[in-house]
Amino acid sequence: MSLDSSLPTILKIYLLSFLISAFQSLDNGLVRKECAPLLSISMWHNLSSEEARIAKFEEHPQLKKPWRAAGKKFDVADAGSKDRQRFDRLWLCSMIQDFMRRLYEPVGIASDNLLYCERFIELLTDIESQLPTRRYANTLLQDLNVLPAIRLSSLFSEEQNGLLRDLFSLLRHYMYFSVDDYTGIPFSQLESYDNHCKILARLQRTAFKHFESKLTILALSNFASISDRSDLEGHLAVLTHEELVRLCSILGYRTAYPKGSGLIVNREFLLEIILSTHERRNTYQDVARELSICPTESTLFEPALLRNETYDGSGPLAIPKLNLQYLTVGDFLWRSFILHRCEAFFEIRKNMEDAIKRLQPRAQRPDKGINFEGFSRMAIPIPKPAILDVAMPKVGEDHPAFVRAEITLDVSSLNDGIRSEWDALRPDDTVFLLSVQAPDDSTRRPDAVLRDSTAREVGLRHLRVADVVQVLDEKGRSLRDAGSNQNEDGYVPRPRLRRLLVNLDPKAYKSDRENATKGKPDIYESINVLVRRRGRENNFKAVLTTIQTLTMSEVPIPAWLEEVFLGYGDPTSANYANLANRIKSIDFRDTFLDWHHLVQSLPGKTVEPDEKASSSFGPPYILESVPIDAQKDDARQSKKRRRGEPEPGSRPEAPSHESVKASTYKPLNNGPYPTDAPRTNRVRFTPTQAEAIISGTQPGLTVIVGPPGTGKTDVATQIINNLYHNFPEQRTLLIARSNQALNQLFQKIMVLDIDERHLLRLGHGEEDLVADSDYSKHGRVESFLENRTRYLVEVDRLAANFGAPGAHGSSCETADYFNAVYVKPAWSRFESFMEGAEAASDVIDAFPFHAYFSNAPQPLFPPDAPLDVVKEIATGCFRHIVRIFTELEDIRPFEILRSPREKANYLLVKEARIVAMTSTHAAMRRQEIVGLGFHYENVVMEEAAQITEIENFIPLAMQRPKAGELPLQRVVLCGDHLQNSPIVQNVAFGQYANLEQSLFLRLVRLGVPTVNLDQQGRARPSLAELYRWRYERLGDLPAVQSEAEFQVANAGFRHEYQFIDVPDYKDVGESEPTPHFFQNLGEAEYAVAIFQYMRLLGYPASKISILATYAGQRSLIRDVLNHRCAKNRLFGLPKTVTTVDQYQGEQNDYIILSLTRSSRVGYLRDIRRLTVALSRARLGLYVLGRRDVFESCYELKPAIDRLLKHPDRLLLTHGEMYPATRTLEQDAESFEMEGVEHIGKYVYQMTQAKIAAVKGAATNGDAEPTPAAPPAEEGDEGAMPEG
């Protein structure tokens, strides 16, 4: 395309889009093979001179080898190959020259010219943003002076071409990024400054040597002076055009271009070359530092942000992309910060616009202010805030330390529910102060004034951010004082006012005061609305602060993980099989249930019993790898492979005939009480699950791909259990996207053999954890103190055993003294006696703790027990006692520490060994946790494919380095990239910038070894067929093929799953009351009718869930349920009514799914979302949708075709009650539901029959259930059953 000038511009734009997609898809082997030669070192034939090339080789001698190799390859090639290699050399240079020609064409000649130039800059930016593509291309782009050419072009100077200028800034950022192009080593801020100083020093030496008479002042100036563009331009003003040409030539800059480029090398261009090369440029840390995380009306309505909202894929955007590879860790953090800031501001702007729209501001008569005629749950009109205190700046800062203000809220007109939401504001919650006026409906103006006009259109004049300090009642008392407003008779009067103490944004306040002193209006005088946001979506400030802090700091990443994370080198290098610190022998305890299970779980490996064992034996198993030396050599050679096999998603094969030596040991007797017995695993893991557990227990990176129902959570909990027992000095950080998933994982951990004092659950989701104990920080502290009381009682019992006088159980300190004076000496004497004892009875008689263990199951020592058994029992009893004093020693600091905060922090840093939190909590609290000195060695991440990449990264960097290196040893990622991705509200950020990309998905694309779980135990095999095609190998566990519940049919239904075509109901299909709030009344009525039908047949409501694909449909279904079922004891409510996205990770026996859309597929076109929807049911799935819409969707066709194997009208059977006795293979007479009205009539008749039967049973004392009634005849009167 670079050589064919006859192609129309629009076709060239399409070809550019293809190239952009190709360079974004280097994970594909074929694409990578074709793209690699296009950006090889052979393009350096286009450098301005041989001297420029030699200078590069002198600076980087390692480049001579690939240059010579490229020359030899060309020399030995045939004619056809030489033509291809010539094209590879010339294509980019010729395209850049064509691009320059277009830049300098007169404005308006070609309507597509601007779009072509924007797309071409996007291509150059993508090339520069990945190390393999920028390695040689960056040198060529700098040699061709691309940036000065763009900056001086006519297109760049046009006012309406703001996108082109923003794309130029992004390209400049990457061309001068602080990284060595050839080694990939990042430059620190000091190294970047030193490199820039070398360039300035070279300019000064050249000026002094060749232009001493004119540039003496430049040569003697300091670096700060000549780094300034205006100062340097002043120094160079004395040079003539010929002298500027000579200066550029000496410095090695290109001064001549082909005529076809359209570029005129005049004085202005030469000056721009020198200025752009030598001016001081901000590093990415400087850029991140200067960006505010607190929005204002100007940042919310920036043209660049507003431009992203109209993204339709036809053109580029000036935002960084999350690529397959990153230049450095800092580059990844910078991109993430920019994108997450844009996403947060987009969501805030939408919330503010919605609140203002609902308030309906209307202008009163002149000078009478604004009247709000509407109402918003999230906003309330207020008088202007009162500034209470402006603190002096901190050392080194120029803005106030804090600005305290008071806001008065009139809550008298709010109902109790909404008022309680305002009262629930917590310290550090973010609220928004708005200055609102009546909307201006004037015509919007483009780009340059887009920000102001858009803000004016919604009625927003000013916006400032504030953090809540305290919520007070009208008397100035904190709302935390329960019952403070009660009268003597207990009556609580209706509150009228609330006083909100807040801290304003100090930087914005300083700027506002400076503007006010210049005569501009005081913003705070016009503030008249307070807006709040819901909790989870309002974490933006803490999260952005964490990302900004990480971006500005030089965060180290473990050396064993760095290359894989950045996307370079061998993708298998972080796998435990290729790490030097691979552990040779590991105790897998109860992972394997028996010898047969052990052998079955290690296919392709020879399991040999230890020499001490004569044959097979039971658990626990210690496995020791015994690889053959030749196999080690093979494995070592395989590491040389790069950019070829394995394809993404594969994993390194284990060496053939690898031997594993298995040994065992006798578990210790920990005491005579039932609670002393260890809790053991009961799950019979499959071979792939066992492989995942083995990999996760070893050091390194483990990526576990778990299709629906394959036991990802069981695998993760067993990995944690193994780490807990094998490495008692290590800590594990447990991360999940949602509180629900984290609680599910935590509940499974609690039933393992893990001491609960080592478990800690951080975050607000802990209250939803179903457990007898409180695992939050303060709950754990209370648990420690409760255990202290219980153990001190045991110490008093031990003192009674010895008859020791004194208050030995009064504190942990006295208990420790008692242990040293009484318990340890008594055991030492008894232990010495046991060594020489010959009779079991002598040992029993000498046992010093008979009285203490009198409450243990008796007899303590079985009669006729041999001597070794008696010794073991006695030793186990002492271990029980030792554990009491060990735990008291751990509790002792809680006696000394006084404040609850100190106790909670000590618990986190010293006691907890398994710490669980959501990814959001980790992002919010990173600074606090790092500041406490928390350290950990292992990270286990559940739902990793649903977490954005920066939220994947933050848990890896929640500790300070030790000796310059993070002590992280293991990273275990569990997820499924074929199900839902992270949720991103803005389409541009999700699709164009790849913000919805997770680290899990990127690692899979890079070819990092994965363990693919391949047997599901959730659903009937027939239901699993609906999504089995999405996975390469997905079989069924024996349980789903043999257990009775999977063999029995669903009572009252002919089929276990159906796609039910729902036509328009009352001539209406889908509706959209508000933007993106889709509803479908016909499907909602149908879903509720099916639920009612199931309840009438006896299905438990707890086994039924109703899912919708849109939040609007979820709300509608809930409304219908509340109207028809909530107050009727025959029906009740299903276990869950929610959206598909919210239900990922959950399951239920029976799922009723509403697809909602009837005009087009919508966002359900993403097959990952449908995979989630179809995989939630265990026994029955009934999908409601519009057949012609979804059947015609190419992306969904495989799944819809499988659903449509059964008729698209609901088939019911007569005479069955739950649970059914009919098997799936047995046929049954069925009848068809014609539509919504038909099933409504049918359920109504059943309901009336059921009510009559219940009344008759009450009269006759008979409670026989009533079977399903026959279907209604066409002429019968009926209606939807009312609640």
Side-chain angles (χ1 to χ4, degrees), residues 200 203-204 218 221-228 231-232 235 278:
L200 296 175
L203 173 65
Q204 288 184 315
L218 185 153
S221 298
N222 59 60
F223 287 161
S225 173
I226 59 176
S227 292
D228 182 81
D231 288 353
L232 181 57
H235 289 303
H278 296 86

Side-chain angles (χ1 to χ4, degrees), residues 575-602:
N575 185 268
Y576 77 94
N578 298 322
L579 292 179
N581 62 339
R582 175 181 178 179
I583 300 172
K584 186 178 180 182
S585 177
I586 294 180
D587 180 5
F588 284 95
R589 295 172 58 82
D590 54 359
T591 302
F592 308 101
L593 303 184
D594 51 51
W595 183 264
H596 177 68
H597 183 211
L598 173 63
V599 174
Q600 190 181 47
S601 299
L602 301 174

Side-chain angles (χ1 to χ4, degrees), residues 328-339:
T328 64
V329 175
D331 174 39
F332 160 72
L333 291 169
W334 179 82
R335 300 188 206 195
S336 298
F337 176 63
I338 297 297
L339 292 175

Side-chain angles (χ1 to χ4, degrees), residues 509-526:
Y509 181 81
K510 173 179 178 291
S511 176
D512 294 337
R513 299 314 302 168
E514 290 176 350
N515 291 333
T517 57
K518 296 176 182 178
K520 295 183 179 180
D522 187 347
I523 289 176
Y524 300 95
E525 293 290 327
S526 63

Side-chain angles (χ1 to χ4, degrees), residues 739-751:
N739 283 306
Q740 191 173 11
L742 192 62
N743 288 341
Q744 289 177 350
L745 187 56
F746 212 70
Q747 284 167 351
K748 292 198 173 187
I749 292 173
M750 291 187 299
V751 302

Side-chain angles (χ1 to χ4, degrees), residues 5 16 58 70 103 160 288 351 652 715 806 820 860 875 931 987 1081 1090 1119 1153 1164 1193 1244:
S5 58
L16 277 178
E58 290 176 352
L103 284 172
Q160 68 270 21
N351 291 151
V715 169
L860 186 62
T875 305
V987 176
L1081 181 58
I1090 293 177
D1119 289 343
L1153 171 64
L1164 199 63
C1193 178
Y1244 176 77

Side-chain angles (χ1 to χ4, degrees), residues 1014-1031:
D1014 56 5
Q1015 288 184 279
Q1016 69 89 22
R1018 170 184 294 171
R1020 301 181 193 267
S1022 58
L1023 289 180
E1025 287 297 329
L1026 299 175
Y1027 53 87
R1028 199 190 307 274
W1029 62 276
R1030 287 277 288 155
Y1031 301 93

Side-chain angles (χ1 to χ4, degrees), residues 933-950:
F934 177 66
H935 283 281
Y936 54 95
E937 289 74 22
N938 313 304
V939 173
V940 178
M941 209 171 295
E942 180 70 296
E943 294 182 322
Q946 287 185 267
I947 303 174
T948 59
E949 195 160 6
I950 187 62

